[in-house]
Amino acid sequence: MKRVLLPVILLLWMAPSFSQSLPKRKQVLKTMQLTNQYFMNKWPDAGKPIFTNIERPSNIWTRAVYYEGLMALYTINKKKVYYDYMLQWGEKHKWGLRGGIKTRNADNHCCAQTYIDMYILDGKQHPERVKDIKASIDTMLSTTRVDDWNWIDALQMAMPVFVKLGNLYNDSSYFKRMYEMYAFTKYKHGGNGLYNAAEKLWWRDKDFVPPYKEPNGEDCYWSRGNGWVVAALVKTLEALPKSDPHYNEYLQDYKDMCAALLPLQRPDGYWNVSLNDANHFGGKEVSGTSLFIYGFAWGINHGLLDKKTYKPAIAKAWKAMAKEAVHPDGKLGYVQGTGKETKDGQPVGYDKTPDFEDYGLGCFLMAGTEIYKMK
């Protein structure tokens, strides 16, 4: 009897350590390469318009988020084919914005994150890559309006652009206006702001501030929306000078969000589409989960989050997604389609293809890149 029980007891005791260990870096990279190659094979023409219910240009936010992920992957795996694919995308759109330089829409600005990175990557020798985005943001700075970001997704789409431009031109006015717009979203939109300082989470937009409730009576916090905010704060903190007067506020918001999100992780490693209501279209979902562990891993890599506290959540989530969401050919399952609430893009499933396949992969690649960097 003792001989039978001892191995079982040892396995039970060792189980947590197995679940908390990250896959080998080579395996993480291999998974990212597989999922990315699936997408590049499916979209060999980086400039081809995207058709769902209508035709859209391929420099819209969904594709821009994919290129954020590809740029992240390129930083750890400098394959020329990745560089060429990013270059092709920018050139086919003439480094322009949907809506032109007069646009104030954060979604239309998102593509410029990669445009600016490509400009810097090639030694700032191609000013056409940043011409339109600088003109567009400068137009915004020339007005007093700061209420454009009335949905929290906008923070990820545009804040990194302001930071990058501020650094590129050594001009803190970009940082100042970015904070003014962030503060309006945080403290004023929807009445008293879209950030719940008590729960450290964000309502997606004015439609979801109280008295709106989920079916179980809890506040509605959309997973991917909060994931966008985490990503926005990560990218802002990574590039913003620490001397900026609002750096510490961004840092505190980031830490508070991570602490609030950690206990909401499901036992299977994912986060629910509706963070506070597991029964309202509950189930596995990759995009929000990827953004959360991207934020966690980045925090560990920069000494801002405790490794022992957050590493188990990262390991559990990445292992679950790599095993359960990645198809043998690299297609990514369990990605919620576009929208802004729990019911949108449903049902979410392994074999379900969302209306856009690009942004989920971008989030996944950003997460994988930071996990690859972990020691």
Side-chain angles (χ1 to χ4, degrees):
M1 177 67 77
K2 289 182 180 179
R3 290 182 179 179
V4 175
L5 285 176
L6 186 57
V8 174
I9 292 170
L10 284 173
L11 283 172
L12 289 173
W13 179 76
M14 293 174 65
S17 63
F18 284 133
S19 65
Q20 293 176 16
S21 62
L22 291 169
K24 292 183 179 179
R25 298 171 76 218
K26 288 184 178 179
Q27 187 58 48
V28 173
L29 180 59
K30 183 178 179 180
T31 300
M32 287 192 287
Q33 290 172 332
L34 176 67
T35 55
N36 184 67
Q37 194 59 51
Y38 163 84
F39 185 81
M40 290 179 63
N41 290 343
K42 186 171 182 177
W43 293 88
D45 180 354
K48 183 179 179 180
I50 304 167
F51 186 85
T52 53
N53 57 323
I54 62 171
E55 185 176 279
R56 298 175 177 86
S58 67
N59 60 348
I60 60 173
W61 73 266
T62 67
R63 191 58 53 86
V65 171
Y66 160 70
Y67 279 100
E68 288 180 61
L70 181 58
M71 179 60 76
L73 175 58
Y74 182 72
T75 64
I76 61 169
N77 189 210
K78 296 189 183 301
K79 287 190 173 184
K80 186 175 183 297
V81 66
Y82 298 162
Y83 170 90
D84 290 343
Y85 198 52
M86 292 187 287
L87 182 64
Q88 180 197 157
W89 182 61
E91 288 182 337
K92 290 203 170 183
H93 291 290
K94 298 181 179 179
W95 309 98
L97 315 174
R98 187 188 189 194
I101 62 174
K102 292 183 179 180
T103 184
R104 298 179 66 96
N105 190 313
D107 285 348
N108 296 338
H109 289 147
C110 189
C111 60
Q113 294 190 46
T114 299
Y115 292 175
I116 297 170
D117 287 347
M118 290 293 286
Y119 173 63
I120 296 171
L121 194 62
D122 285 339
K124 304 178 184 179
Q125 298 180 29
H126 303 280
E128 70 277 7
R129 297 180 185 179
V130 295
K131 178 176 177 289
D132 283 7
I133 186 57
K134 186 178 188 302
S136 183
I137 302 302
D138 285 353
T139 298
M140 295 178 71
L141 265 60
S142 69
T143 72
T144 58
R145 182 179 170 185
V146 295
D147 64 349
D148 296 275
W149 299 342
N150 57 17
W151 76 111
I152 61 176
D153 314 29
L155 303 182
Q156 195 285 144
M157 307 303 158
M159 286 179 68
V161 174
F162 279 71
V163 175
K164 290 173 187 290
L165 288 174
N167 287 330
L168 193 58
Y169 296 101
N170 193 28
D171 186 347
S172 63
S173 64
Y174 293 101
F175 305 150
K176 182 176 183 293
R177 177 50 56 90
M178 175 183 70
Y179 177 75
E180 291 170 344
M181 297 179 73
Y182 176 80
F184 200 98
T185 304
K186 181 180 177 182
Y187 298 116
K188 294 185 178 181
H189 271 307
N192 295 307
L194 300 181
Y195 180 62
N196 185 340
E199 295 197 55
K200 314 301 183 187
L201 296 171
W202 298 68
W203 297 292
R204 199 270 181 179
D205 57 50
K206 65 180 178 59
D207 294 339
F208 301 97
V209 301
Y212 185 94
K213 297 291 182 182
E214 286 289 78
N216 67 353
E218 296 288 339
D219 275 12
C220 177
Y221 302 115
W222 184 42
S223 178
R224 187 163 70 233
N226 278 270
W228 292 135
V229 181
V230 169
L233 292 170
V234 162
K235 288 171 174 282
T236 297
L237 291 167
E238 186 166 44
L240 186 69
K242 292 183 179 179
S243 59
D244 184 87
H246 305 292
Y247 179 91
N248 287 334
E249 181 178 346
Y250 296 130
L251 178 60
Q252 193 61 54
D253 288 349
Y254 161 75
K255 288 183 174 180
D256 286 345
M257 283 193 74
C258 290
L261 289 163
L262 185 63
L264 298 179
Q265 187 178 32
R266 293 156 46 108
D268 62 4
Y270 298 87
W271 275 262
N272 290 306
V273 172
S274 178
L275 293 174
N276 275 354
D277 193 341
N279 297 317
H280 194 202
F281 294 98
K284 302 178 175 74
E285 204 285 308
V286 161
S287 64
T289 297
S290 293
L291 289 167
F292 295 151
I293 63 170
Y294 162 64
F296 292 175
W298 180 87
I300 290 173
N301 290 337
H302 287 76
L304 298 174
L305 296 180
D306 180 65
K307 187 174 184 179
K308 290 182 179 179
T309 301
Y310 287 92
K311 181 182 174 183
I314 297 168
K316 186 185 294 185
W318 181 261
K319 286 180 177 180
M321 292 191 295
K323 179 181 179 180
E324 301 165 2
V326 178
H327 288 230
D329 65 354
K331 178 181 177 178
L332 204 57
Y334 296 112
V335 175
Q336 185 185 18
T338 56
K340 70 175 190 176
E341 57 184 305
T342 306
K343 69 180 182 181
D344 292 331
Q346 296 289 351
V348 174
Y350 176 75
D351 291 318
K352 175 72 174 181
T353 301
D355 49 359
F356 295 87
E357 286 191 87
D358 39 18
Y359 60 85
L361 175 57
C363 298
F364 187 75
L365 293 177
M366 286 191 283
T369 298
E370 285 301 322
I371 292 170
Y372 180 88
K373 295 175 183 178
M374 289 178 64
K375 296 179 180 179

